[in-house]
Amino acid sequence: MKVVLQNLTKIFPSRDKKAGKEVVAVNDFTFEIPDGKLIGLLGPSGCGKSTTLYMISGLQKPTGGKIFFGDDDVTELPTESRGVGLVFQNYALYPHMTVKQNILFPLENLKGADRMPKAEMLERAYAAAKLVQIEDLMDRKPGEMSGGQQQRVAIARALVKMPRVLLLDEPLSNLDARLRLQTREEIRRIQRETGITTIFVTHDQEEAMSISDMIVVMKLGVVQQIGAPQEVYDNPLNLFVAKFLGTPPINVFDGTVKDGKLYIGEEAVLDVPGVADQEVTVGIRPEGFVLDENGPLSCKLSSVEVMGRDVSIVSKNAASLNPVVRSIINADNKVDASKEYVRYTLKAHKVFIFNKENEERIYF
Ligand code: ADP
Ligand code: MG
């Protein structure tokens, strides 16, 4: 099911009636989510991800704009008529019910013509449980299961009605690191197998990048960039997006463009033909540095961390806007950790420059 958001906007009245300002939680969000894809809605806490999801689900009413499922305008439809499956961060299972009862619950509550015979309900419940691989745990209660298993039950419960759209709001936040990794792969697999259009909300860029067909990066209610994860990583439209994606994060420097050359401090580190003379902010991905004794950029060496396949070099540079500069290079390169300075050549496609005032990308 294709989902279309058209100028979707949500304004909350101020909480403090006198002094407070209203909050524009979601600001003019327009996007067509293709059928059968997994979309990662990504951004820092408070940027409007949940509000967007709640509007799509019908739990919150937009202040402006429209929502379509396929060609149906669902903007005014109540949640129960939209055919959405919802999964939240806290699994919100009924503790006194078994897994089976929890999964059956949405079906048992169907009204009128939607009601189905008990045998069909059970069949559906077992199919959903099988999909998330908990079919052996049907008689347990939530308290007797791990967090990861409970979250699978919540996903099965969301899937059992065969929703047109699956909405997941930070579903992995309560899991430990290993389970988080495993469960996100599971969600990807389930999404592929069912082909249900899925919107996955997270503040964790790595999580979103790893499983999404497309990511939407938001900041303060405003969509910053939409695209395939790799495409957004390789081509950030502004400094915010460049900084938000990537582990380790992008290295940011004060820079100057003069006569078609980019300077960091006194060093001309890269040719940037066609860019007007100006002060800029420079972003260099950790993998954008090449060790080179004669390289133009010098940094004071702090430490060398060997991480198996890669080596991470931690250094300092007066123009760096981060406390340290972190580069990642192949472990085949021998790094002399006793040296005072390292020198680098830069890979041009890993270097981005941004307007100092509005932080928009400047292309070269
Ligand atoms: P996210 O899920 O990205 O963390 P939210 O969508 O929950 O962000 O919130 C976006 C903004 O809207 C925040 O500034 C938040 O404080 C505000 N907000 C969310 N819900 C309400 C509400 N019910 N009343 C007032 N402000 C709200
Ligand atoms: Mg949220």
Side-chain angles (χ1 to χ4, degrees):
M1 178 69 52
K2 172 178 87 173
V3 176
V4 181
L5 312 181
Q6 220 172 60
N7 307 105
L8 199 60
T9 298
K10 179 72 182 180
I11 301 172
F12 289 111
S14 95
R15 283 178 172 138
D16 173 356
K17 285 277 181 300
K18 274 200 191 120
K21 280 203 304 192
E22 56 186 22
V23 178
V24 185
V26 179
N27 194 345
D28 202 21
F29 188 169
T30 295
F31 180 36
E32 183 171 321
I33 300 169
D35 179 34
K37 297 289 182 206
L38 197 164
I39 303 301
L41 196 53
L42 178 64
S45 178
C47 74
K49 305 181 295 296
S50 294
T51 305
T52 303
L53 212 66
Y54 296 162
M55 287 193 285
I56 297 171
S57 73
L59 291 175
Q60 269 174 4
K61 203 174 146 33
T63 313
K66 285 190 182 303
I67 303 164
F68 296 85
F69 286 2
D71 294 325
D72 302 342
D73 183 345
V74 301
T75 317
E76 300 294 330
L77 270 190
T79 301
E80 54 276 15
S81 312
R82 289 193 188 193
V84 294
L86 273 164
V87 179
F88 297 103
Q89 172 178 345
N90 51 348
Y91 331 116
L93 300 174
Y94 302 105
H96 58 284
M97 291 186 191
T98 64
V99 168
K100 183 166 39 179
Q101 289 165 334
N102 265 285
I103 300 176
L104 279 172
F105 189 79
L107 298 181
E108 284 171 337
N109 277 283
L110 291 175
K111 300 272 179 320
D114 291 334
R115 271 200 81 79
M116 52 181 82
K118 184 81 186 174
E120 191 182 339
M121 286 190 215
L122 274 170
E123 201 175 302
R124 286 254 208 125
Y126 273 92
K130 194 154 190 272
L131 198 61
V132 301
Q133 298 174 340
I134 48 158
E135 69 269 33
D136 297 334
L137 307 173
M138 293 296 259
D139 295 319
R140 290 219 198 157
K141 297 229 170 110
E144 301 161 351
M145 307 172 83
S146 72
Q149 289 168 333
Q150 291 184 50
Q151 193 56 297
R152 283 163 195 244
V153 178
I155 295 169
R157 191 179 54 181
L159 289 172
V160 77
K161 280 204 289 183
M162 299 185 182
R164 301 198 282 178
V165 180
L166 182 61
L167 305 170
L168 306 159
D169 193 357
E170 313 242 8
L172 310 179
S173 303
N174 285 357
L175 307 182
D176 66 45
R178 212 169 56 92
L179 260 180
R180 220 163 34 230
L181 222 69
Q182 194 187 334
T183 313
R184 81 185 189 203
E185 296 307 322
E186 284 288 287
I187 288 175
R188 181 62 185 158
R189 177 185 61 78
I190 293 162
Q191 195 276 329
R192 284 245 170 88
E193 282 183 22
T194 57
I196 298 175
T197 308
T198 300
I199 305 170
F200 179 98
V201 160
T202 177
H203 63 275
D204 181 333
Q205 56 91 21
E206 200 185 325
E207 205 166 278
M209 300 265 290
S210 64
I211 64 168
S212 307
D213 294 308
M214 288 175 99
I215 55 171
V216 177
V217 185
M218 291 181 80
K219 173 191 172 190
L220 295 172
V222 181
V223 171
Q224 304 292 300
Q225 190 165 355
I226 300 177
Q230 192 67 44
E231 184 185 303
V232 178
Y233 180 83
D234 288 339
N235 259 311
L237 293 178
N238 61 40
L239 181 61
F240 176 83
V241 174
K243 282 163 79 169
F244 202 74
L245 300 185
T247 26
I250 196 163
N251 298 284
V252 184
F253 300 83
D254 276 325
T256 311
V257 174
K258 196 159 186 299
D259 301 330
K261 288 188 186 308
L262 172 65
Y263 287 82
I264 290 178
E266 302 292 307
E267 297 167 331
V269 295
L270 198 69
D271 287 340
V272 288
V275 180
D277 291 2
Q278 62 192 298
E279 304 283 308
V280 292
T281 305
V282 186
I284 308 174
R285 294 273 180 221
E287 67 277 20
F289 299 83
V290 180
L291 271 183
D292 177 357
E293 276 177 25
N294 304 311
L297 176 65
S298 66
C299 295
K300 196 166 189 311
L301 187 58
S302 304
S303 66
V304 178
E305 298 164 8
V306 181
M307 307 181 298
R309 187 163 41 98
D310 299 323
V311 174
S312 168
I313 303 176
V314 181
S315 63
K316 300 212 171 193
N317 182 294
S320 172
L321 297 173
N322 311 101
V324 296
V325 178
R326 192 178 281 277
S327 70
I328 304 284
I329 59 167
N330 194 292
D332 294 341
N333 291 281
K334 291 283 164 273
V335 189
D336 183 353
S338 67
K339 281 207 169 152
E340 198 179 349
Y341 283 90
V342 276
R343 300 198 76 91
Y344 295 111
T345 303
L346 302 177
K347 298 178 191 167
H349 68 289
K350 293 288 180 183
V351 179
F352 312 122
I353 57 178
F354 302 96
N355 182 294
K356 199 113 200 140
E357 269 77 52
N358 64 19
E359 304 193 338
E360 297 288 326
R361 178 95 172 267
I362 300 167
Y363 293 88
F364 58 88

